[in-house]
Amino acid sequence: PGEILSLVGENGAGKTTLMNVLNGVLQADSGQILLDGEPVTIYSPRSALEQGVTMIHQELALIPQLTVGQYIYLGREPRRKWKALVNWKDMYTHAQTELDRLGLDIPVRATIAELPIAQRQLVEIAKALSYQSRVIVLDEPTSALTDREAEVLFKLMRSLRDQGVTLIYISHRMEEVFALSDRIAVMRDGQLVGVAPASEMNPTKVVQMMVGRELKDFFSKTTTGKRGNLVMQANHLSCGKQLKDASISLYQGEIVGLAGLVGAGRTNLARVLFGADHPQSGEIFFEGKEVKINSPRDAIRLGIGLVPEDRKGEGLFLGQSVRSNAAVGLFNKLATVGFIQYRRVEKWVKDVVARLKVRTPSLAQKVGNLSGGNQQKVVIARWLALNPKVLILDEPTRGVDVAAKAEIHGLMSELASQGMSILMISSELPEVLGISDRIVVMREGNLVAEFSREEATQDLIMQAATGQLQQPMKA
């Protein structure tokens, strides 16, 4: 009781599987669970809740049609005197209390569908905490949060710890792990390889235990920094309230980091460039010619790819195999008079899965059963098949372990060195600073600052993102 235990390991190490057993999502083949020293059987998530165990999952699965208040009290709505009708007033009052407890400014009557991913994550946390659980498992809870929102969560976690609540915290962010943890447990290949007080550990030691080897240069940048011709130019794009008069340029062989706070409009810009959303004004030029990108199909034909922020909702066919997800863009290329050449598809998928080090039992494995980091690699594999001229990566390493991050960064550098233009959106400033040739900052739908790799610092980026730095955009 009263402890924050961090559980760390590479993607596919077994962290989430272990917690799913603890939460009743999966049943253990052997072994037992002790709660307060007594053996217990947890056969479902409801069973876990009844015994005081709550889990906040890495991949959100909220019900978009419900309001925030309805979702927080789903299945346990306050009833009126005769129990037949929901007491809506009490439900929304109680839900507002939970949001106030977290210090969240989220409309309690707004639908989940109206909220950005960061706020959906916070609603999930508010719901879990409303159960007054004794054990709370948090699986990558800050992956979609700003630093300010994350600090609100950390403050609450410390408060719950002081009240005797046990918290199991899964994260790939070493700075968070060491700032919060009382103890750190490390998993590798489905086994616990070590556990020790945080005061006796350091990031280098933890990473070595995770990967079984020393890992250097988390943010490796190997491109020459010499950019080629202008590939894509967007001028004065506007789209609703999220995108206002935004202009950006992308050159061959260059990695452009797009920084800013959550809600600044970065994802909205990516969606407009990929044709998923339609701009109300502005123009886009591709290889010197003005183009109309009315759909993702148009973008793909031009040579533009997008790895979306929400990989499960927008990037993958979860019920399909790794093979089908990775090869979906190849079927037209590897077909003869309408018949798919499956041997060629199989060979290509095997090669790219090996190249990206995707951990999967087989190519027939459903992609929905892979860890988050391996799912992300499958999305990237799909675009490698099409070899786009411009690749937009929206939070490419969110929920990805340090070893997989290094692999993705290495791949980005390799692609840029081959002439691909990459636009990377990331909320992790060390990543933006470490991998980008040029950094552009967004704030409230506008592109407000631009820095070269040499002049950029975390302080300058945050000043621009929060409106404290006024700098005219470069041509």
Side-chain angles (χ1 to χ4, degrees):
E3 177 185 54
I4 298 176
L5 172 70
S6 283
L7 182 62
V8 300
E10 289 189 89
N11 288 113
K15 308 182 300 296
T16 301
T17 300
L18 176 60
M19 292 302 102
N20 280 334
V21 171
L22 182 63
N23 191 51
V25 175
L26 298 173
Q27 301 302 306
D29 297 319
S30 60
Q32 62 177 179
I33 299 172
L34 303 178
L35 192 60
D36 288 331
E38 298 295 327
V40 295
T41 301
I42 300 177
Y43 52 85
S44 69
R46 179 174 288 276
S47 170
L49 285 171
E50 291 171 350
Q51 298 184 70
V53 180
T54 304
M55 182 169 178
I56 300 168
H57 295 269
Q58 175 184 357
E59 301 292 351
L60 301 181
L62 292 79
I63 303 172
Q65 295 84 2
L66 297 184
T67 64
V68 171
Q70 287 174 323
Y71 181 73
I72 289 176
Y73 281 94
L74 180 63
R76 54 195 176 113
E77 297 87 351
R79 299 286 173 172
R80 294 188 180 275
K81 184 176 181 180
W82 301 108
K83 307 295 184 184
L85 299 174
V86 174
N87 190 328
W88 297 106
K89 182 179 179 181
D90 281 0
M91 185 188 73
Y92 283 115
T93 299
H94 295 330
Q96 188 64 59
T97 299
E98 295 299 333
L99 295 174
D100 291 343
R101 181 184 176 198
L102 276 169
L104 303 179
D105 184 19
I106 299 175
V108 75
R109 295 179 183 270
T111 62
I112 299 296
E114 296 176 57
L115 304 180
I117 287 180
Q119 290 190 345
R120 295 184 194 187
Q121 178 75 280
L122 293 171
V123 168
E124 188 77 281
I125 292 168
K127 178 181 179 180
L129 294 175
S130 72
Y131 281 95
Q132 306 297 319
S133 299
R134 292 184 293 166
V135 178
I136 300 176
V137 180
L138 300 102
D139 191 354
E140 294 284 354
T142 63
S143 59
L145 304 185
T146 63
D147 291 342
R148 177 174 165 274
E149 290 165 336
E151 195 51 51
V152 170
L153 173 63
F154 298 157
K155 183 178 179 181
L156 180 62
M157 288 175 62
R158 294 184 181 106
S159 174
L160 291 169
R161 175 183 60 186
D162 294 342
Q163 297 169 34
V165 176
T166 300
L167 298 114
I168 302 175
Y169 186 71
I170 300 175
S171 178
H172 295 306
R173 298 180 177 179
M174 287 294 139
E175 66 276 12
E176 295 178 0
V177 168
F178 281 90
L180 287 169
S181 307
D182 297 297
R183 287 191 301 152
I184 299 173
V186 184
M187 289 189 72
R188 183 173 74 240
D189 297 331
Q191 295 183 322
L192 186 70
V193 295
V195 58
S199 59
E200 298 177 8
M201 304 278 267
N202 60 61
T204 301
K205 183 177 180 180
V206 169
V207 170
Q208 287 178 352
M209 293 171 69
M210 284 169 53
V211 302
R213 64 187 188 279
E214 186 175 357
L215 186 67
K216 298 179 180 179
D217 301 327
F218 288 177
F219 306 111
S220 59
K221 180 69 170 63
T222 58
T223 57
T224 62
K226 295 180 180 179
R227 69 186 189 188
N229 297 326
L230 178 66
V231 180
M232 193 172 188
Q233 173 78 46
N235 298 325
H236 309 296
L237 295 179
S238 296
C239 183
K241 296 180 180 179
Q242 289 74 35
L243 198 62
K244 306 169 187 175
D245 196 33
S247 300
I248 192 169
S249 57
L250 302 173
Y251 290 82
Q252 288 178 337
E254 183 183 45
I255 298 175
V256 177
L258 185 55
L261 302 178
V262 171
R266 299 170 302 166
T267 294
N268 303 92
L269 176 60
R271 289 177 60 87
V272 168
L273 294 177
F274 190 62
D277 290 335
H278 299 150
Q280 295 162 339
S281 61
E283 54 190 7
I284 298 174
F285 291 86
F286 196 85
E287 295 184 327
K289 298 179 181 179
E290 185 173 2
V291 294
K292 299 294 182 183
I293 305 177
N294 296 316
S295 67
R297 182 186 294 271
D298 292 341
I300 292 169
R301 284 172 175 166
L302 287 170
I304 303 169
L306 170 66
V307 175
E309 178 184 19
D310 181 4
R311 56 177 168 257
K312 276 198 170 183
E314 299 178 344
L316 294 165
F317 305 103
L318 295 176
Q320 297 296 317
S321 67
V322 171
R323 179 191 298 107
S324 296
N325 274 273
V328 67
L330 279 174
F331 292 147
N332 282 337
K333 285 187 174 183
L334 302 183
T336 303
V337 293
F339 291 93
I340 298 171
Q341 303 297 308
Y342 281 104
R343 288 185 180 179
R344 295 176 64 193
V345 170
E346 185 82 4
K347 181 181 183 304
W348 187 91
V349 173
K350 280 184 178 179
D351 290 345
V352 76
V353 162
R355 177 183 178 188
L356 296 182
K357 300 179 182 177
V358 180
R359 290 191 176 186
T360 177
S362 73
L363 298 183
Q365 173 71 276
K366 286 185 178 180
V367 77
N369 293 335
L370 301 185
S371 67
N374 286 299
Q375 289 178 350
Q376 186 75 310
K377 290 180 182 179
V378 172
V379 180
I380 295 173
R382 180 186 305 158
W383 289 112
L384 293 186
L386 298 175
N387 192 30
K389 298 174 182 176
V390 173
L391 182 59
I392 304 168
L393 299 139
D394 194 350
E395 301 287 0
T397 62
R398 181 168 71 87
V400 170
D401 64 68
V402 289
K405 279 185 182 182
E407 291 166 1
I408 291 173
H409 294 156
L411 177 65
M412 290 169 61
S413 293
E414 178 187 338
L415 295 174
S417 68
Q418 295 170 3
M420 188 180 294
S421 177
I422 295 176
L423 176 64
M424 180 191 69
I425 299 170
S426 177
S427 297
E428 293 191 44
L429 291 185
E431 178 173 62
V432 172
L433 291 166
I435 199 69
S436 306
D437 296 300
R438 183 162 51 95
I439 299 164
V440 179
V441 185
M442 285 195 76
R443 177 175 178 270
E444 297 180 352
N446 291 289
L447 291 159
V448 295
E450 180 179 323
F451 305 101
S452 68
R453 178 183 176 87
E454 292 73 26
E455 64 188 359
T457 65
Q458 290 198 35
D459 286 344
L460 282 175
I461 292 173
M462 286 308 300
Q463 287 178 37
T466 56
Q468 300 173 46
L469 178 69
Q470 301 297 323
Q471 181 208 51
M473 283 290 294
K474 299 175 182 178

